[in-house]
């Protein structure tokens, strides 16, 4: 690889997705979890490398070969959950092909989050709900960031309606699973996504927005882990 790309957001979402795929950390295949670690890391490195080519839709033979090689480990752990990241990957490619960069960026970020579904199947984890929380949180978070950018013409109602729809899904699934404590994780995101405020005054403020968002992501992950594990223990 002649160039080294450093999409820190991609790696952050990817690492969190790996952690979430292991929740509640018991009843999973620990050997497979260890095997998955380098596979997940390689997936993120290749995704980081391929992103500029996808955005410009200038895909060369080298990119195709890398993608094919990366797919090999996943062939040994085919499960129905793979359909989620595969669908999102196709939608991301189509968005970039159509030159819809904003939509491609959002879908690309959600694709990285959706890898938790593929990975939880790999480690034989039956608890899917944390990955659903994470996927919808990242979707609305990506839309929130796009809305805040002064160069984007995205209405705040897109963020608000997306989170309201996500809340409805999460409440329904959580009530059905009886893991009610997990709903505590939606309190902070609700205040952010339902009341997104004004757009940034300048693109110079993007870094500050990213740092604040990273801290809130850590809080969300911590609460998701705590409430998921505690809910599982209380349900025993």
């Amino acid at each position: 690889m002649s160039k080294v790309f450093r999409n820190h957001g991609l790696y952050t979402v990817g690492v969190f997705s790996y952690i979430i795929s292991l929740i509640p950390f018991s009843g999973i295949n620990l050997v497979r979890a260890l095997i998955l670690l380098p596979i997940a890391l390689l997936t993120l490195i290749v995704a980081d490398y391929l992103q500029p080519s996808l955005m410009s839709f200038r895909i060369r033979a080298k990119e195709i070969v890398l993608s094919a090689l990366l797919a090999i480990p996943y062939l040994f752990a085919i499960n129905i959950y793979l359909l989620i990241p595969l669908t999102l990957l196709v939608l991301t490619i189509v968005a970039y092909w159509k030159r819809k960069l904003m939509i491609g960026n959002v879908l690309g970020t959600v694709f990285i989050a959706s890898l938790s579904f593929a990975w939880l199947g790999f480690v034989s984890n039956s608890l899917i709900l944390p990955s659903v929380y994470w996927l919808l949180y990242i979707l609305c978070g990506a839309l929130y960031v796009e809305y805040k950018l002064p160069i984007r013409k995205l209405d705040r109602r897109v963020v608000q309606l997306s989170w309201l729809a996500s809340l409805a899904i999460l409440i329904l699934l959580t009530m059905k699973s009886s893991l009610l404590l997990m709903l505590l994780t939606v309190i902070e995101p609700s205040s952010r996504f339902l009341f997104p405020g004004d757009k940034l005054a300048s693109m110079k403020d993007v870094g500050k927005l990213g740092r604040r968002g990273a801290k809130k992501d850590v809080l969300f992950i911590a609460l998701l882990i705590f409430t998921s594990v505690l809910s599982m223990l209380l349900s025993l």
Side-chain angles (χ1 to χ4, degrees):
M1 296 182 185
S2 58
K3 295 182 180 180
V4 178
F5 300 98
R6 288 290 181 265
N7 185 338
H8 297 293
L10 182 151
Y11 289 104
T12 300
V13 174
V15 170
F16 284 153
S17 297
Y18 174 78
I19 295 171
I20 286 170
S21 72
L22 305 180
I23 296 174
F25 310 107
S26 63
I28 64 173
N29 190 316
L30 293 177
V31 174
R32 283 193 164 220
L34 290 174
I35 295 173
L36 175 61
L37 190 54
I39 295 174
L41 180 58
L42 182 61
T43 300
L44 298 179
I45 292 172
V46 173
D48 185 21
Y49 176 77
L50 293 178
Q51 186 182 28
S53 297
L54 285 177
M55 291 180 70
S56 61
F57 215 73
R58 295 176 181 175
I59 303 173
R60 300 164 297 177
K62 182 167 62 173
E63 279 80 12
I64 296 174
V65 171
L66 276 173
S67 301
L69 291 174
L70 181 61
I72 292 174
Y74 292 95
L75 295 177
F76 294 94
I78 294 178
N79 58 77
I80 193 170
Y81 304 126
L82 276 173
L83 289 174
I84 298 173
L86 282 175
T87 300
L88 285 164
L89 178 59
V90 170
L91 291 175
T92 301
I93 293 172
V94 171
Y96 284 137
W97 177 54
K98 294 287 189 179
R99 298 294 187 267
K100 305 292 184 181
L101 292 183
M102 183 185 72
I103 297 174
N105 291 339
V106 171
L107 289 173
T109 303
V110 178
F111 161 70
I112 298 298
S114 74
L115 290 172
S116 64
F117 286 93
W119 294 339
L120 69 83
F122 190 89
V123 300
S124 304
N125 186 358
S126 60
L127 186 61
I128 306 171
L129 196 54
S131 291
V132 178
Y133 269 76
W134 179 237
L135 183 76
L136 295 177
Y137 171 80
I138 288 297
L139 169 62
C140 296
L143 288 171
Y144 172 82
V145 170
E146 293 293 337
Y147 156 72
K148 296 294 279 188
L149 298 179
I151 61 173
R152 300 294 195 212
K153 295 180 180 180
L154 185 66
D155 195 288
R156 71 176 65 194
R157 285 174 292 186
V158 174
V159 182
Q160 294 167 328
L161 292 175
S162 296
W163 185 242
L164 284 174
S166 298
L167 277 178
I169 294 170
L170 293 176
I171 290 172
L172 179 64
L173 293 178
T174 306
M175 295 290 287
K176 188 175 180 179
S177 67
S178 300
L179 304 177
L180 301 181
L181 284 177
M182 291 182 65
L183 288 172
L184 292 174
T185 61
V186 305
I187 295 175
E188 188 284 322
S190 294
S191 65
R192 191 174 5 142
F193 300 148
L194 293 180
F195 307 98
D198 297 326
K199 288 180 174 288
L200 297 177
S202 168
M203 289 297 290
K204 295 179 181 179
D205 298 326
V206 172
K208 188 183 297 183
L209 176 69
R211 288 189 292 272
R212 287 201 304 265
K215 293 177 182 178
K216 291 174 181 178
D217 291 346
V218 172
L219 173 62
F220 180 84
I221 293 294
L223 277 173
L224 188 59
I225 292 172
F226 176 75
T227 56
S228 299
V229 173
L230 185 57
S231 295
M232 292 292 290
L233 290 174
L234 292 175
S235 66
L236 294 177

